Amino acid sequence: MALPYYVSPEQMMQDRAEYAKKGIAKGRSIIAMEYSNGVLFVADNPSASLFKISEIYDSIAFSGAGRYSEFENLRKAGIQHADVKGMMYSREDVTARSLANGYSQILGTLFSQEMKPYEVELLLAQVGETPERNELYRISFDGSIVDERRFTAIGGRSETILALLKKEIPQTCPSLKEALTLCQHAFEQGADPRSNLEGLEVALLDRTRIGRRFRRVPIIEASQILL
């Protein structure tokens, strides 16, 4: 009689983690960086029709690296959660912190209970009334959350990009031009030597805007910012 196949819980979790990491490593990278008037998002994204950076709520932005269909499902779930909470309570009660906790619970449950974990890594940012009140969170495939400061990156080449940014980012909060230049240079050096503005997706959380503070930056405008 054949013995049943057994895999230890530790080995199962390790295998799931390796599977998720391999899927995320195939994804293109995304940078989020605080600048003088808000938060800048820059994604290595040659597609003109599929966005990797999106608005979740008035002052909150979302981006994902890895399997597109999976982080797109999470994006839609975040929008629904934010809309319901804003209607039931108040718009001020919708925060990046609460959304990050919700995503953490979803990804943590999928990682521990499902055969196949999500192959995604998420970024959430909320622009505050002052730079000190900005919020920036990175959520991993297993549900772990990192509360970031000033800048962070996710996706396949994120470690290389972060190492480059740590060497080059100034001590003071950069201007939009400085931040965009740093991000473009990091992609050129660490992600893809062929990267240029035409292959990047750029968006802002701009605290100087009234109401909805998220906006996309067309490539033509991004080029003018760099001049």
Side-chain angles (χ1 to χ4, degrees):
M1 182 177 177
L3 294 174
Y5 182 70
Y6 173 76
V7 178
S8 68
E10 294 82 3
Q11 184 62 48
M12 185 178 297
M13 290 300 175
Q14 183 178 340
D15 290 344
R16 289 176 180 172
E18 290 298 323
Y19 177 86
K21 288 176 182 177
K22 287 180 180 179
I24 295 168
K26 297 175 184 177
R28 295 174 180 265
S29 300
I30 305 165
I31 301 172
M33 180 181 295
E34 295 184 40
Y35 73 101
S36 53
N37 286 328
V39 182
L40 168 69
F41 278 79
V42 183
D44 183 3
N45 183 14
S47 173
S49 57
L50 299 179
F51 294 125
K52 300 179 70 174
I53 309 166
S54 301
E55 179 184 33
I56 288 284
Y57 212 60
D58 295 345
S59 60
I60 302 173
F62 167 100
S63 63
R67 188 176 290 275
Y68 179 84
S69 60
E70 293 179 346
F71 70 70
E72 177 67 6
N73 287 337
L74 291 169
R75 181 189 71 86
K76 292 177 180 177
I79 291 174
Q80 292 174 352
H81 171 82
D83 285 342
V84 170
K85 190 168 186 179
M87 290 179 63
M88 291 180 63
Y89 302 98
S90 71
R91 303 188 77 85
E92 290 73 22
D93 288 324
V94 182
T95 64
R97 184 187 301 274
S98 65
L99 283 165
N101 288 331
Y103 282 132
S104 173
Q105 293 175 11
I106 292 171
L107 290 172
T109 299
L110 288 168
F111 180 74
S112 61
Q113 298 183 8
E114 300 295 328
M115 287 298 296
K116 190 194 90 65
Y118 268 23
E119 303 165 60
V120 297
E121 199 170 11
L122 306 179
L123 274 179
L124 273 180
Q126 181 169 14
V127 63
E129 295 300 327
T130 62
E132 295 75 21
R133 298 183 66 182
N134 291 341
E135 296 181 18
L136 187 58
Y137 301 101
R138 175 165 52 87
I139 306 109
S140 297
F141 60 89
D142 60 355
S144 58
I145 304 176
V146 179
D147 184 0
E148 300 284 6
R149 289 290 182 269
R150 301 185 67 200
F151 65 93
T152 190
I154 59 172
R157 301 291 182 88
S158 59
E159 292 184 4
T160 303
I161 289 173
L162 286 171
L164 289 166
L165 290 175
K166 287 176 182 177
K167 293 180 181 179
E168 298 186 5
I169 194 166
Q171 293 299 317
T172 57
C173 194
S175 66
L176 178 56
K177 179 179 179 179
E178 291 172 332
L180 185 55
T181 300
L182 286 168
C183 292
Q184 183 189 22
H185 184 255
F187 277 120
E188 289 176 345
Q189 299 298 316
D192 186 345
R194 298 167 299 176
S195 290
N196 54 54
L197 275 179
E198 293 184 359
L200 299 179
E201 178 186 348
V202 182
L204 302 174
L205 285 172
D206 185 351
R207 72 167 54 85
T208 65
R209 289 169 61 90
I210 298 174
R212 296 171 61 180
R213 295 177 174 178
F214 176 89
R215 77 176 183 94
R216 300 191 183 279
V217 180
I219 295 304
I220 293 177
E221 182 181 345
S223 301
Q224 293 173 342
I225 291 172
L226 292 174
L227 293 177

